[in-house]
Amino acid sequence: MKLIVKYLLILSVAVPLSLESCSKKEKLDPGDPLGLGGDKVTATAIDKWIMDTLTTPYNMEVKYRFDEFEVQLDRTLVPPKEEQVIPVLRTIKNVFMNPFEKEAGITFLKTEIPKQIVLVGSPAYNSNGTILLGEAEGGKKILLYTINSINTKNRADVKMMIRTIEHEFGHILNQKVKWPPAFNQITVTDYTADWTNQTVNDSYAKGFVTPYSRSAYGEDWVEMVATMLTEGRAGFENLVAFADALSIAQGLPSAAAKLHQKEAFVVQYYKDVWNIDFYSLQQRVQDALDAIAPQPFNPLYTEFGAGKRYSSLNVAKDLQTSANFIALYNKTADTLKAKTGTILDSLIISKPFSDTLLLTVRFLGASGTPAYYANYRYLVTNNPDGSMKFGPVILQPSRGVLESNANAVKTGMKPLTDFFTLNTLVLDYKGGHPNSNLVTQTGGLNIANGEKDFMLGILK
Amino acid sequence: MNNFMRKYIIAILSIMLLTTACKKKVDAVFDQSPDERLAAVINAFQDKLVKQTDGWKVLVKPLTPGSYPFYMKFTNTNRVTMLSDISDSAAGVPRESSYRVKALQQPTIIFDTYNYLHVLMDPTPAINGADYGVGLVSDIEYYLPTTLIQALQGTKPDTITSMALKGRYNGADILFTKASPAEAASYNNGDLRKLRIAVNNYSATNLHRLYMDFGDGVKVLVTIDLANRTVSFFWIKNGTAFSFTSTFYFTLDGLQLGNAFNYNGTTIITKILWDNIKLSGTGTGAAVPIQISATDVYPLHVLIGTTITGINLPAVTSFPGWSDDFKARRAAVATALINGPYGLTLDEMDFSTFTPNSDTLYVVVFQGANGYLAQFYYTYTKTPAGVFKFTMTGTDGNASLIVGSMAPLLGQRINVDNFTVDYYNDPVEGQLVRFTSVQHPDFAFTGRPR
């Protein structure tokens, strides 16, 4: 028995020893799996730009190197051209991110922004003949296609891309706070799974901005957001007017009423939930788009006159930015007050005939009432570049215009009436192009080859 | 049991215990983990690419016909620079992009930003003329097959001079072959571009006049079509027409044929060489010079129905080589169609699938946005001098509805007159085929040949 104990003792020491010595020979640590920690590629200037401009400030990853696991596996796709990467991202920064940052602050943007953008060079071709422009996944990732063919100087190209992003970003915000359920009731009977077979015009007439809007309440909501932001207020109002005409033609309830109702919900949601002034955001997006390329437009001088888009320019002092014009205006007001005791109120410029410019002066009696109108008429020489040269002011009654008031205050108005005769002037939009976010446009009578935004007024 | 036995048993037991415990030790078949071996292969392959300072001649064979050569140089900073023969500029202007070697299901090289290589894969038809959404069925990710992996793991990876990889998505083939210092100098000198331009100019200048003679007195017409990357051979022997067409790609000294041209069983042409002055065919047997005939080797009318199988008249009101009378008659047809019961817009017209004695005229008409195809069936005869006489043998349903409206062109001219044919050269459209009426010489029209 003693022996057994002795041998057991030996064993109890030897066995663990032997096990230990065996285990020492095994490799229990295989090291990290290959590729753990992501791909290692040597950073290029593009990578550095992305890091400095997007990743560090906004915690946002951009993937432009092809990675089959980030895209649909059943499509033939190619990666972006490297020279497209920074221009496209800069456009996204300027048109999508900056307006939100300015309107809602950097914290909002850092918190809510999609965390990953994946760029693909080609479109994704669908078997039904359509192409995919973008996709979003789980509120985190946005996939953008057709990067190689996007011209970042072309407004339509940029709008299409930004529209995709705004759409997906709308979803992301909705995942945090849902849109108000009352929104769903506005066009509740016209949502359909068969949206691909609905025409654009039919969707307009029923109070939707796109056929895709009809697929679900949430899609309707983000399509509204994307449309309003990329089209601007003026563009949206044009769409509403067009849709309304279609609804009337089809004997349906007013599409304008429905669309304006939806618009109000969107604006209210952004105010209440995110403390964002949506109209101001809209203006910022439009300004950014205008900075890339203004909406194509006809020169104002071709759109101004009797029977044309604009028939008058209503000049008001509070619109002015030109110190020279304010000086001229004040001098005229002072002269008018001194010579006639009346108060200069505002000016209306119109072109009832192509060779005739009418300067209508609204002035008030010494006590502020009543209001009088005086018409000063000029013969106009229209130059090929759209500028106008004026003859001497005409005070004789003609073409149905009575000139008695004009005669009565002509000495007081002399600084302004002389100015017309002495200068070559040209009509143009404020800033050189229409503001795509405004329904009512501001224009100006500028000095040809001289000061821009000189005599500003509302175009009517 | 005595004491000794007890001791013995205990001793044996303890030894057994010790032995079994040691047998638990894992004896690895490989001395490294799979990850380590994978990393080693990736590094070896990347090293191979980078250390070949004269660069690689790379040949891609997509699943559509033809092969595409590239010249590539790799850096260890994930950059690749390449030239390609897909266009004059791609052959002369190196373009840099990104690549990485990575373990996917297999060790794989991924060309991960756009370069000339991606033109083959691009799904946009306007880029490469391929089918919608699929490109030329090529690849941008290629994996290392087992044989290459084993070679890289072997004792002499330095002796590898070429590496064949396989496309992961479509299964295209890619072959990397080491370039020699002389070849590298030539690529860097823009020789590929110079060759491409020279061959294009030479073949365009001598269009229809280049031929080979394999010693039997038969002139084999050689036509190089750079846009479609094909070389075609056409000959008439004992009154029978033969033709053979192969794809080709450029090498530094000429055109490599995708399919060998076997004229007579003894002379097999696999390559057309360019020596800066002239072309010649080589392969098996002696080189065969490509000669220039003073006039067209074969008159145009012989080619129609053999190498030229279709003529397309685009949907325009005026086109180079259309006579005033033809334009007036086409306009009359267009007016009759739009004012007819179906309100149709005349689109393009196409003489398709010319065979030596029959043809179909396709006329495309649109009703609103919907296109319709009207088919008029013809046979034709041709005199030895090349005078064509078309006979309409029938129509399909659509064509029967508009045959009356088409009368100014068909019933009054094409169906009844005899026609001669010649080339019409236009600076913009290039070489067109022109038919002129014998009875009414003021009626002539051209089309783009196929």
Side-chain angles (χ1 to χ4, degrees), chain A residues 332-345 363-367 372 409:
Chain A
T332 309
D334 292 347
T335 315
L336 190 67
K337 180 118 192 158
K339 301 264 186 194
T340 68
T342 58
I343 301 163
L344 181 59
D345 180 62
F363 60 98
L364 310 171
S367 61
Y372 304 97
V409 296

Side-chain angles (χ1 to χ4, degrees), chain A residues 421-443:
Chain A
T421 309
L422 293 172
N423 286 283
T424 301
L425 303 178
V426 62
L427 274 162
D428 198 0
Y429 290 103
K430 184 184 178 188
H433 60 79
N435 183 329
S436 51
N437 200 41
L438 293 181
V439 181
T440 305
Q441 292 295 333
T442 307

Side-chain angles (χ1 to χ4, degrees), chain B residues 208-222 232-238 240-243 261 263 288-299 302-303:
Chain B
H208 312 303
R209 295 193 290 125
L210 296 175
Y211 71 96
M212 297 167 106
D213 186 338
F214 289 86
D216 57 1
V218 174
K219 288 181 173 176
V220 176
L221 173 68
V222 180
S232 58
F233 303 88
F234 173 82
W235 66 102
I236 294 179
K237 191 168 184 179
N238 303 328
T240 309
F242 299 89
S243 67
F261 172 46
Y263 175 71
V288 182
I290 295 181
Q291 306 175 55
I292 303 174
S293 162
T295 56
D296 285 2
V297 176
Y298 294 101
V302 172
L303 303 184

